[in-house]
Amino acid sequence: MTSWHFPMPVSVLSRVVHVAADPMCDIETLSAIIKHDPVLSLELLRAVHSTVYGDGRVFLSVRHVVDFVGSHAIRNLVLCLGVRSLIPNSRYHQGQLGAYWEKFLRSAAASRCLAQHLHFDEAQIEEAFTVGLCQD
């Protein structure tokens, strides 16, 4: 089964990342930006229902997803989804793409665990995750 990923406008991704990075980030503003892009909205809803975040809760709105996950995690998710949307579906064999993402997610998870072990604050932990994701 092929999973299709539609491109997301860079302007929307950039705006979400910029707003989410602000320590005074307003959940309503962030949700409103995300809701203007149906592909991003769908991908975030799909991601939050995955095994990474899925704890049995059902989220029916972007607002609830942003509130549950938090602005720093939303920024990281949007970065991941944005990069993934730039990779053409037909260019990579599904197994190769899976191995590619697994490597980066392992680095990100290890970075997050290290930051938690070092008692970093929540924002620094999420930044460590992003750095781990982008390394290589």
Side-chain angles (χ1 to χ4, degrees):
M1 183 170 127
T2 302
S3 177
W4 293 94
H5 304 288
F6 297 97
M8 293 176 228
V10 174
S11 61
V12 173
L13 300 174
S14 175
R15 185 136 187 254
V16 169
V17 169
H18 177 73
V19 170
D22 182 352
M24 301 303 291
C25 175
D26 174 24
I27 298 297
E28 291 297 330
T29 302
L30 189 55
S31 299
I33 296 166
I34 293 168
K35 285 191 286 189
H36 282 8
D37 183 4
V39 174
L40 180 55
S41 297
L42 177 65
E43 291 291 344
L44 283 175
L45 285 165
R46 188 185 326 186
V48 83
H49 287 106
S50 73
T51 56
V52 174
Y53 290 101
D55 64 354
R57 297 181 200 195
V58 176
F59 298 93
L60 301 175
S61 73
V62 169
R63 168 68 171 83
H64 289 127
V65 169
V66 173
D67 194 35
F68 173 74
V69 175
S71 62
H72 291 288
I74 287 292
R75 183 192 67 201
N76 292 337
L77 276 169
V78 166
L79 285 169
C80 292
L81 294 170
V83 169
R84 186 179 73 182
S85 78
L86 298 174
I87 299 171
N89 292 317
S90 61
R91 188 168 171 196
Y92 296 96
H93 181 272
Q94 195 65 22
Q96 292 170 329
L97 190 56
Y100 170 82
W101 281 111
E102 184 176 338
K103 176 194 177 297
F104 288 108
L105 288 174
R106 284 183 186 193
S107 294
S111 297
R112 177 185 281 159
C113 287
L114 181 60
Q116 288 170 331
H117 179 74
L118 295 172
H119 306 289
F120 286 8
D121 66 33
E122 191 61 35
Q124 292 171 318
I125 291 170
E126 290 302 324
E127 286 175 20
F129 179 87
T130 303
V131 169
L133 189 65
C134 297
Q135 81 160 13
D136 202 33

